[in-house]
Amino acid sequence: MKTYNITLLKGDGIGPEIVDQAVKVLNAVGKKFDFTVNYTDALIGGAAIDATGEPLPQATIDDCLASDAVLLGAVGGYKWDGLSGKQRPEAGLLGIRAALGLFANLRPAKIYGPLKSACPLRPDIIGDSMDIMVVRELTGGIYFGERGRTEKDGVEGAYDTEYYSKPEIVRIAKVAFETAMKRGKKLHSIDKANVLESSRLWRETVNEMAKEYPEVEVNHLYIDNAAMQLVRNPKQFDVMVTSNIFGDILSDEASQIAGSIGMLASASLGEGTRGLYEPIHGSAPDIAGQNIANPLATILSVAMMLRYSLNEDAAADAIEKAVEKVLDDGLRTPDIYTEGTTKIGTDAMGDAVAAAL
């Protein structure tokens, strides 16, 4: 029997509640597919600040580096809003991504049949379903470029620099092409090559990489057109790859088209198989401890972990089908509840998915 080592970063707010349900489901799918999981709990974010005075203790980094994958709940909350930038809970999230060398963020945006009414787009636009994967570069670009304040002729100004090296583009493009090969073999690369030199290098590099993946259909779109096309005709997209800032924008847009932020998972990957998996929503401190948070995004993050880090594709498929079954059965947490369905709590939703396995 195979055994995997997983570090749990439950974090703040609803983080512990939703991670507990994901563990419940992971244990259930392990029994079904003949593997076991050893868990290590580690601190991050506000919980780490309260216990150690810093948002990312070295012990947490060590635990994550020693694991096969990392499952994160959420970080942050009103309690720590007054802290300076490097001491805020969110600094722990940026720090663990850097410590693990995670440069690719995979954000699926999928509409489940029973939740189609939550999509803000007209039914004739969305069709039967939507299933898009946004591959966002995570550690380069304008968020990490040179920045500063200036004064010229007595006028205050500020600047932020967009910079990408070719190797940075090559490695994120490789992730995107490999992802497209596992899906519909269709890739849209998003840039602003009509204006930005960094985008021209991006486009040139993607085209060079395309020669290694002749089966993948490659299309290029400017970011402004891509944002428009995403709401005009989302069905045209399968995999989208783009820079840090453009990916930040497009992945949030795609998440809203999907209808509920409580349903969307994510994976952050590096050169190896170890990855960090987390729901895209925040810590929601206003509902923490009330047993009403939606754990499905975290459960679906476990499915991504099984697929991308543990090579357990069948187990990943089983979790996704189990989530679809509980939705088909009309079970809903309050955030996705509609009249005629059955409202249940966080724990009950975790139990339902585990039972559906």
Side-chain angles (χ1 to χ4, degrees), residues 210-229:
K211 298 174 184 177
E212 301 178 22
Y213 299 89
E215 297 177 63
V216 177
E217 175 191 339
V218 179
N219 301 278
H220 298 277
L221 288 177
Y222 299 140
I223 177 61
D224 44 350
N225 187 27
M228 181 269 287
Q229 292 290 339

Side-chain angles (χ1 to χ4, degrees), residues 144-316:
F144 291 86
E146 184 179 341
R147 69 192 61 192
R149 295 291 184 97
T150 64
E151 186 172 317
K152 185 176 182 180
D153 298 329
V155 178
E156 185 179 10
Y159 63 92
D160 297 275
T161 307
E162 169 85 357
Y163 174 83
Y164 272 109
S165 67
K166 190 164 185 175
E168 286 178 313
I169 303 170
V170 166
R171 66 183 186 179
I172 190 66
K174 182 178 180 180
V175 171
F177 277 108
E178 295 288 347
T179 302
M181 286 293 291
K182 295 178 181 179
R183 291 170 55 96
K185 298 183 179 179
K186 185 176 182 181
L187 176 65
H188 281 81
S189 179
I190 314 302
D191 59 40
K192 192 62 177 172
N194 57 336
V195 176
L196 302 177
E197 194 62 35
S198 58
S199 281
R200 295 185 187 111
L201 178 62
W202 181 285
R203 184 173 294 206
E204 292 168 9
T205 305
V206 170
N207 282 334
E208 290 175 10
M209 292 286 293
K211 298 174 184 177
E212 301 178 22
Y213 299 89
E215 297 177 63
V216 177
E217 175 191 339
V218 179
N219 301 278
H220 298 277
L221 288 177
Y222 299 140
I223 177 61
D224 44 350
N225 187 27
M228 181 269 287
Q229 292 290 339
L230 194 54
V231 294
R232 178 181 176 271
N233 181 21
K235 292 180 292 183
Q236 69 184 287
F237 297 108
D238 180 29
V239 178
M240 307 173 77
V241 62
T242 191
S243 66
N244 203 340
I245 189 170
F246 295 161
D248 195 2
I249 295 165
L250 288 178
S251 57
D252 279 1
E253 182 184 7
S255 73
Q256 288 307 300
I257 294 172
S260 174
I261 201 170
M263 294 295 300
L264 301 178
S266 77
S268 296
L269 308 176
E271 295 285 2
T273 59
R274 186 193 302 109
L276 177 91
Y277 300 87
E278 59 180 311
I280 72 166
H281 58 70
S283 61
D286 53 321
I287 63 169
Q290 299 179 39
N291 193 36
I292 60 174
N294 187 346
L296 291 180
T298 315
I299 291 170
L300 291 168
S301 295
V302 166
M304 294 188 75
M305 179 177 73
L306 289 164
R307 178 166 287 115
Y308 292 103
S309 284
L310 307 184
N311 199 30
E312 294 280 357
D313 288 354

Side-chain angles (χ1 to χ4, degrees), residues 94 98 136-147 161 163 244:
L94 296 175
R136 168 191 172 190
E137 201 287 324
L138 201 58
T139 59
I142 198 167
Y143 290 168
F144 291 86
E146 184 179 341
R147 69 192 61 192
T161 307
Y163 174 83
N244 203 340

Side-chain angles (χ1 to χ4, degrees), residues 68-80:
D68 296 307
V70 180
L71 181 63
L72 172 71
V75 298
Y78 313 128
K79 180 179 179 181
W80 305 281

Side-chain angles (χ1 to χ4, degrees), residues 81-100:
D81 279 350
L83 298 176
S84 63
K86 292 183 179 180
Q87 289 301 313
R88 289 176 63 89
E90 294 79 7
L93 180 57
L94 296 175
I96 197 60
R97 287 172 178 168
L100 297 180

